[in-house]
Amino acid sequence: MRDTAPSLRISVLGPLRVEAGEGLCLTPKGAKNQALLALLALSPEMSRPRRWLEDKLWSQFGPEQASANLRQALSKLRSALGDHADVLRADRATVSLDPLALSIDLRDDGLRFDQRVELLEGLDARDPEFEEWLRMERADLQARLSQAEPKEAKGVLIHCRSTAPAEDGANIMADILANQIGENIAEQIRAWRQANDPDHPAELPVSDISLTCDILKTTDGHTLFVKGLHVPSGRILYSKMQSISHLEAILHSDEIVSKLVFEAADCIIGKLPQVLDTNRPESRATALSRLSMYRMFSFERDALREAYSLLKQAHELDSNGIYLAWSSMVRMIQLLELLEDDRDALREEAIALNYRAMEASEDNALVHALISKVRGTAQRDAAGAFELADTAVNRNPASAFAWKSLAEANMLKGDVTSAFDASARARAIARSSPFKQWWDMGHCIISIACNRPHEAIEAGEAAARAAPLSRPAHRHLLALYALDGQLDKAHATAVKLGKIEPGFSIDQIINDENYPVRTLRNKGLLEPIRALL
């Protein structure tokens, strides 16, 4: 795993191209020099013995002349790479590239499902050994493309099972709990719940996931035991025990049960890409969408662009409306954070994706929750946003996403008390999520609107801890610290913002009407920041 972003990008699909920074082209001149770079880029660990390279590029020369030609090619290659020449390494025996400093499209972007794309298009090094190597590489790529062609996404099969004493309806409650978790999984990926009818048992297909919920009666209530198992490998994806005082907590989706349901589904989904067959489109789509969420919730410009690209790939593999809904959310974040120049285009695309997602997955509560944000913010339809969010909560009261959407819809309606309560519930349910900063930041803003500055600070600090590079968290903490008289913390936060947000200034946050701190501005909470000027 890289600690820093690679400094160079090499494209081998299509014509060879080397880029640095903002698209600066560093592609070397000369077919031999390009071929040398290609040989290294496509080699195991990006390293080859000198003699092997000489045989591939100068097979018709004697050893001394071939060695001299390689030295000359390395010199020209270093010159072409300029400030990035240190990615090329050579000693007496081997030549290599630094794999941590390079991004290779074929290695890092996954396979394109276009058989017309040619590896190293147009590259002719005029050596029979290189031509043979290139022919074999192209044949290998075509074979991999054929194997990786999209197949029909059939979905992950989840077998829901439960055991509990029949008295007090515990067996029914166990079934409800298992199905709630299965439903939460099925909202986020293509999945089907499976259960055998005890009155009419049948031979069911082998499931991917076994989801078991057991209920044990105790002296002071009941204990729930939830376990998610990958059936083919026997790998346990999730297991947890939870005590509840009364069984009705399951029926009413009390907060403690909702947290268990949301956590179990989220944890299982997070581990599915590690256990499912990667040839299955729903498996690859799940992995891509999960990665996109890590990128999305960083709120960084380049990461959000990557998140959108990953979701587009996921939808190409599996035409699930949830990926369109998440794509719409990415566009909304880019719009609100002022990260792209053409804001009108972002708004129009978010709205278009909004409608497409609804058409594709009209019964999905998570889709309702996500597009509620677009309906309210991009389309300024407060009533429509509330209707979607309310539907999402009623369909899935264990969804932290649904409760967050209801909180935001209540804000649009002007009901800040209901907004605060819904946001607090969403935040509690999502407490164990790897993306908890999403709910923490939302609660910070709603707390500001409710005139609860200390609760806003607590939520903002939690968001900043979970995502240290989160601009929204630091923007709001800057104003909140200044309001609370904590000027040292406010100054430190301003310095932090200056490092993570290019062009940031205190004057900008105070005076720029378009700067994304609308709630702070509406509440008149930006004035205390002037003390830092």
Side-chain angles (χ1 to χ4, degrees):
M1 184 176 184
R2 296 188 180 102
D3 294 327
T4 58
S7 59
L8 284 181
R9 176 176 175 82
I10 299 178
S11 299
V12 295
L13 294 173
L16 180 77
R17 182 173 176 82
V18 183
E19 293 182 344
E22 298 293 324
L24 176 63
C25 180
L26 298 179
T27 308
K29 304 294 184 182
K32 291 286 188 183
N33 302 325
Q34 292 183 10
L36 173 58
L37 188 61
L39 287 167
L40 293 170
L42 295 176
S43 292
E45 300 181 358
M46 297 190 188
S47 179
R48 287 291 188 180
R50 281 178 174 266
R51 191 58 195 156
W52 186 91
L53 295 168
E54 292 165 6
D55 286 342
K56 291 293 178 287
L57 293 173
W58 299 280
S59 62
Q60 297 174 316
F61 288 77
E64 290 185 5
Q65 185 59 50
S67 180
N69 289 343
L70 176 58
R71 287 195 301 273
Q72 185 179 27
L74 288 172
S75 177
K76 291 182 178 179
L77 195 52
R78 288 192 182 94
S79 178
L81 295 176
D83 294 340
H84 302 275
D86 56 352
V87 304
L88 181 63
R89 300 168 176 175
D91 56 31
R92 290 185 177 182
T94 62
V95 180
S96 62
L97 298 172
D98 181 0
L100 296 180
L102 294 170
S103 170
I104 311 293
D105 57 354
L106 182 58
R107 179 191 69 176
D108 298 329
D109 295 353
L111 294 177
R112 298 179 186 176
F113 302 112
D114 187 349
Q115 298 274 2
R116 296 167 297 178
V117 174
E118 186 175 57
L119 183 72
L120 299 172
E121 179 183 329
L123 182 55
D124 182 8
R126 298 183 180 276
D127 191 286
E129 288 294 323
F130 180 81
E131 291 174 4
E132 177 63 15
W133 171 85
L134 184 55
R135 185 192 65 77
M136 294 179 65
E137 289 290 320
R138 287 172 174 168
D140 178 67
L141 175 59
Q142 289 300 315
R144 291 166 59 193
L145 283 169
S146 297
Q147 293 177 357
E149 282 184 342
K151 304 176 179 65
E152 181 185 358
K154 297 180 178 179
V156 176
L157 197 55
I158 305 171
H159 185 59
C160 298
R161 298 188 296 176
S162 60
T163 58
E167 63 267 17
D168 301 326
N171 55 339
I172 297 175
M173 296 299 179
D175 278 342
I176 291 173
L177 183 62
N179 277 281
Q180 282 181 339
I181 298 171
E183 184 176 356
N184 268 263
I185 295 173
E187 285 181 359
Q188 300 182 57
I189 64 172
R190 188 175 298 280
W192 303 96
R193 287 170 289 161
Q194 176 193 57
N196 217 331
D197 186 344
D199 296 326
H200 302 90
E203 287 292 329
L204 299 178
V206 177
S207 58
D208 296 295
I209 305 297
S210 171
L211 189 57
T212 306
C213 295
D214 299 326
I215 298 181
L216 304 174
K217 187 172 179 56
T218 59
T219 55
D220 55 352
H222 293 81
T223 295
L224 313 177
F225 178 59
V226 175
K227 181 170 69 175
L229 181 77
H230 179 238
V231 175
S233 67
R235 182 173 176 179
I236 296 175
L237 305 179
Y238 179 83
S239 65
K240 186 172 183 177
M241 296 181 68
Q242 179 66 59
S243 297
I244 58 174
S245 58
H246 52 88
L247 287 174
E248 287 75 13
I250 298 173
L251 189 62
H252 299 148
S253 295
D254 285 2
E255 185 179 293
I256 191 171
V257 174
S258 294
K259 182 178 182 298
L260 176 65
V261 170
F262 189 80
E263 176 184 287
D266 191 61
C267 189
I268 290 170
I269 291 170
K271 293 180 179 177
L272 280 180
Q274 303 171 29
V275 295
L276 293 180
D277 182 357
T278 56
N279 288 325
R280 295 169 58 176
E282 60 267 37
S283 174
R284 297 201 299 276
T286 298
L288 289 167
S289 65
R290 190 69 175 182
L291 180 58
S292 77
M293 293 181 73
Y294 282 99
R295 300 292 186 264
M296 183 192 321
F297 293 133
S298 72
F299 302 103
E300 289 295 308
R301 186 191 66 173
D302 291 343
L304 283 161
R305 290 176 178 176
E306 184 181 357
Y308 186 85
S309 175
L310 291 168
L311 287 165
K312 183 179 180 181
Q313 293 176 54
H315 188 257
E316 289 171 351
L317 288 164
D318 177 7
S319 55
N320 191 333
I322 189 59
Y323 303 134
L324 298 174
W326 276 122
S327 296
S328 180
M329 180 62 72
V330 172
R331 289 306 192 219
M332 281 304 305
I333 295 173
Q334 291 173 312
L335 176 66
L336 294 173
E337 290 298 308
L338 309 178
L339 295 174
E340 303 291 347
D341 294 332
D342 195 340
R343 301 186 70 224
D344 289 337
L346 288 176
R347 180 179 287 103
E348 291 174 6
E349 187 175 3
I351 294 171
L353 288 165
N354 187 15
Y355 286 122
R356 288 177 59 197
M358 194 65 173
E359 290 172 1
S361 302
E362 61 181 353
D363 295 326
N364 188 323
L366 180 54
V367 168
H368 281 76
L370 295 177
I371 66 177
S372 169
K373 174 74 171 177
V374 179
R375 186 69 58 86
T377 304
Q379 298 176 266
R380 305 193 184 284
D381 179 4
F386 181 82
E387 182 180 345
L388 286 165
D390 190 54
T391 299
V393 168
N394 286 325
R395 287 187 173 181
N396 186 1
S399 170
F401 293 107
W403 283 103
K404 186 177 189 298
S405 71
L406 186 61
E408 293 171 345
N410 275 310
M411 281 281 289
L412 290 173
K413 286 178 57 182
D415 187 351
V416 293
T417 301
S418 296
F420 183 88
D421 292 341
S423 178
R425 185 178 181 90
R427 191 180 177 212
I429 293 172
R431 179 65 60 195
S432 61
S433 171
F435 318 113
K436 62 188 292 294
Q437 67 269 20
W438 176 245
W439 291 272
D440 288 332
M441 192 59 241
H443 194 64
C444 173
I445 295 173
I446 288 177
S447 296
I448 292 170
C450 294
N451 298 315
R452 300 183 183 221
H454 291 98
E455 282 146 301
I457 289 175
E458 184 274 326
E461 289 178 339
R465 283 195 301 272
L469 299 181
S470 170
R471 299 176 187 179
H474 289 95
R475 290 170 186 155
H476 289 79
L477 284 173
L478 171 58
L480 289 166
Y481 286 147
L483 175 69
D484 200 45
Q486 302 184 56
L487 295 183
D488 287 346
K489 285 188 175 182
H491 176 73
T493 304
V495 172
K496 176 78 171 181
L497 269 171
K499 293 178 179 178
I500 65 176
E501 182 175 335
F504 169 79
S505 69
I506 293 176
D507 178 72
Q508 179 187 37
I509 192 172
I510 296 173
N511 297 315
D512 186 349
E513 293 290 334
N514 292 319
Y515 195 74
V517 286
R518 185 177 58 185
T519 304
L520 288 169
R521 194 175 303 281
N522 291 342
K523 299 294 289 185
L525 302 181
L526 296 176
E527 284 302 309
I529 301 176
R530 292 187 185 276
L532 301 179
L533 291 173

